[in-house]
């Protein structure tokens, strides 16, 4: 698996993208995941200058629906292997019929692009439904793959290792995130998520990219180093 950092982690770092990417490269990551496309040409040049790869790009639902051609062109310019829908609100997972509609929506969105569309979970997708959850129902019904966020799944009371096994072959990207017992993001190793078991399960499931993300780091510069330092031992 290759290592990356989700740039949402560094949104408070007020530096040019080229400087941010240089920090990430020096720290030793293989790549980055973009939180929004921005200027794809400039971003591609900055990636080339630092030698970083790209794990994917997060694109909001409104943009995917309103102008898929532009999104597709921008993803090609970035050479992003995956387009990721980072969020759908609670209404999309409120019931069995809502999940059916969500699965249909995701399939329609994916058909507009020449590269895979992934869905990124938080914690609100895990509404009890029958013997499982609405997330289980979505996995059964959708035609797209997933960017699985292990931290948010754990915060929802789920077993991220079991879910990774369920997603075998359908989870090319995994967000490695630690959470406190109260379900708040924290530094890798400081929380209650079974990180080593998650990494091992991700590898077995065929995951290509392990992406560090911290939703609210105290210091984004420190988070860059802490993220890769936390991931390296888990990959040995």
């Amino acid at each position: 698996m290759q290592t990356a950092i989700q740039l949402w982690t560094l949104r408070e770092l007020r530096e040019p993208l080229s400087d941010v990417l240089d920090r990430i490269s020096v720290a030793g990551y293989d790549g980055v995941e973009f939180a929004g496309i921005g200027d794809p040409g400039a971003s591609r040049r900055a990636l080339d200058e630092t030698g970083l790869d790209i794990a994917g790009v997060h694109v909001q639902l409104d943009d995917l629906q309103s102008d898929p051609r532009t999104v597709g062109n921008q993803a090609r310019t970035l050479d992003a292997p995956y387009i990721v829908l980072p969020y759908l609100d609670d209404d999309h997972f409120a019931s069995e019929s809502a999940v059916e509609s969500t699965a249909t929506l995701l399939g329609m969105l994916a058909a507009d692009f020449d590269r895979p569309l992934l869905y990124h979970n938080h914690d609100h997708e895990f509404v009890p439904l029958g013997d499982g959850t609405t997330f289980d129902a979505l996995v059964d019904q959708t035609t797209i793959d997933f960017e699985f966020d292990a931290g948010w799944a754990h915060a929802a009371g789920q077993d991220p290792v079991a879910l990774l096994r369920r997603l075998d072959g359908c989870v090319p990207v995994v967000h490695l995130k630690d959470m406190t017992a109260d379900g708040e993001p924290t530094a890798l190793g400081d929380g209650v998520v079974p990180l080593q078991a998650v990494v091992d399960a991700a590898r077995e499931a065929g995951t290509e990219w392990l992406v560090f993300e911290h939703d609210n780091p105290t210091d984004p510069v420190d988070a860059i180093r802490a993220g890769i330092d936390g991931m390296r031992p888990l990959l040995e």
Side-chain angles (χ1 to χ4, degrees):
M1 287 184 292
Q2 297 191 87
T3 60
I5 186 170
Q6 164 55 246
L7 291 181
W8 178 252
T9 304
L10 310 178
R11 63 193 180 278
E12 299 300 328
L13 188 54
R14 306 303 183 188
E15 296 180 356
L17 177 63
S18 58
D19 292 349
V20 174
L21 295 185
D22 189 58
R23 288 182 182 274
I24 293 167
S25 177
V26 169
Y29 291 87
D30 298 310
V32 298
E33 184 180 48
F34 282 78
I37 290 179
D39 182 338
S43 296
R44 184 64 257 173
R45 290 190 293 274
L47 287 167
D48 291 340
E49 288 170 1
T50 57
L52 290 168
D53 289 329
I54 179 170
V57 57
H58 282 197
V59 183
Q60 298 296 327
L61 178 62
D62 286 349
D63 295 323
L64 294 175
Q65 290 180 314
S66 64
D67 197 354
R69 177 174 293 182
T70 295
V71 171
N73 289 337
Q74 291 174 328
R76 281 191 293 276
T77 299
L78 274 173
D79 198 21
Y82 302 105
I83 297 170
V84 184
L85 175 57
Y87 183 84
L88 288 172
D89 63 31
D90 298 23
D91 291 346
H92 289 84
F93 305 94
S95 65
E96 186 172 3
S97 61
V99 172
E100 291 174 0
S101 298
T102 299
T104 300
L105 169 65
L106 293 174
M108 292 174 60
L109 292 172
D112 285 329
F113 303 107
D114 63 354
R115 62 207 59 221
L117 175 72
L118 309 180
Y119 180 70
H120 172 279
N121 67 281
H122 288 77
D123 55 351
H124 64 275
E125 294 89 350
F126 298 94
V127 177
L129 180 66
D131 294 330
T133 67
T134 48
F135 185 81
D136 293 320
L138 181 64
V139 173
D140 288 339
Q141 296 177 40
T142 189
T143 57
I144 76 166
D145 290 346
F146 291 84
E147 176 177 84
F148 180 68
D149 190 303
W152 282 122
H154 192 280
Q158 304 299 306
D159 180 353
V161 173
L163 284 167
L164 280 165
R165 291 172 180 156
R166 176 166 167 70
L167 292 169
D168 185 22
C170 302
V171 59
V173 186
V174 166
H175 271 201
L176 192 65
K177 178 182 297 175
D178 213 347
M179 309 290 277
T180 67
D182 295 328
E184 296 296 326
T186 189
L188 293 182
D190 287 352
V192 295
V193 177
L195 299 176
Q196 185 66 66
V198 165
V199 171
D200 293 344
R203 182 181 285 111
E204 291 173 4
T207 298
E208 301 164 8
W209 282 97
L210 193 66
V211 180
F212 166 65
E213 183 181 41
H214 192 318
D215 292 66
N216 192 29
T218 302
D219 185 327
V221 173
D222 287 347
I224 295 173
R225 174 57 64 183
I228 194 66
D229 287 350
M231 283 197 287
R232 277 185 178 133
L234 303 173
L235 289 165
E236 293 176 353

